[in-house]
Amino acid sequence: IMADILPKATNNLVFVYGTLKTNEPNNKFWSAEIYDGGTRGSRGGDMRKHGLFQLLAKGETVQKLPLVVATKHNVPFLLHKPGDGHHVEGEIYCVDDKMMNSLDIFEDVPNYYKKIISEIKVSECLNDKISLERGTIVKCSSYQLTNFKPELLKLKFYKTYCSAVVPPYTEM
């Protein structure tokens, strides 16, 4: 049913919970231009977008998961430990295949994060063109740590990430 209401080009759903959210340090990723380097023998490359995207809604994980802030850079991590933590709040985007690939590279999939399909319950629609009813459950890709040190489970679990409230994020 979701495929019927999403634009054909941007039919991948992704749930973001940390620095990629609106007003967070890496939100600029969505609209940044990158240099493609050009093709061999050409006069240089072009600036291009990572891909197509639309912010659809705010939502929260159906399963409880631990969201922690760790490392010297204060990075938010969603730990793949269903049942622990909170119903984590974040944003739902629809993206094209190119943007999905760019996100996978940005999140260092599969070396660091794993891309896991999660059920997300819509809490607020943010898109006039693509209406998602509050309470609707959608399946979204999300970036989670699966191979993490047990000490991370001893950290404070957050329901929502807000860089203005948690220890400040620093770029790596």
Side-chain angles (χ1 to χ4, degrees):
I1 295 175
M2 277 306 295
D4 296 338
I5 67 169
L6 294 176
K8 287 201 182 344
T10 56
N11 59 2
N12 303 297
L13 290 177
V14 64
F15 175 73
V16 299
Y17 54 83
T19 63
L20 287 169
K21 292 189 319 183
T22 304
N23 298 322
E24 296 301 343
N26 284 325
N27 184 258
K28 60 189 179 280
F29 169 87
W30 295 106
S31 55
E33 291 190 332
I34 53 174
Y35 181 69
D36 71 5
T39 56
R40 192 173 205 166
S42 73
R43 290 185 155 200
D46 294 313
M47 295 303 285
R48 63 174 177 81
K49 301 283 186 197
H50 288 287
L52 301 174
F53 69 95
Q54 289 186 58
L55 174 59
L56 296 182
K58 290 182 179 180
E60 65 178 22
T61 59
V62 170
Q63 284 189 312
K64 288 183 175 182
L65 292 166
L67 172 61
V68 300
V69 175
T71 80
K72 66 182 180 182
H73 298 287
N74 297 315
V75 176
F77 296 108
L78 193 57
L79 308 180
H80 187 68
K81 184 99 167 61
D84 288 357
H86 301 283
H87 299 284
V88 175
E89 298 173 342
E91 295 174 340
I92 302 166
Y93 285 81
C94 61
V95 301
D96 67 355
D97 292 341
K98 188 171 154 186
M99 178 61 87
M100 194 84 234
N101 186 55
S102 294
L103 283 165
D104 288 350
I105 292 167
F106 181 77
E107 299 290 6
D108 197 14
V109 172
N111 303 317
Y112 201 70
Y113 285 102
K114 300 290 186 258
K115 188 163 55 177
I116 294 176
I117 303 299
S118 299
E119 289 189 331
I120 307 299
K121 184 164 75 171
V122 174
S123 58
E124 181 186 352
C125 184
L126 299 174
N127 191 306
D128 295 336
K129 297 181 185 105
I130 303 166
S131 183
L132 289 175
E133 295 286 321
R134 187 175 180 190
T136 302
I137 294 174
V138 294
K139 291 184 186 284
C140 300
S141 295
S142 65
Y143 296 95
Q144 299 179 25
L145 287 184
T146 57
N147 187 17
F148 54 86
K149 294 180 179 173
E151 305 82 89
L152 290 181
L153 293 170
K154 295 178 182 162
L155 297 175
K156 178 179 179 180
F157 296 165
Y158 293 90
K159 181 173 179 57
T160 191
Y161 173 83
C162 176
S163 59
V165 176
V166 301
Y169 171 81
T170 59
E171 305 239 350
M172 290 189 237

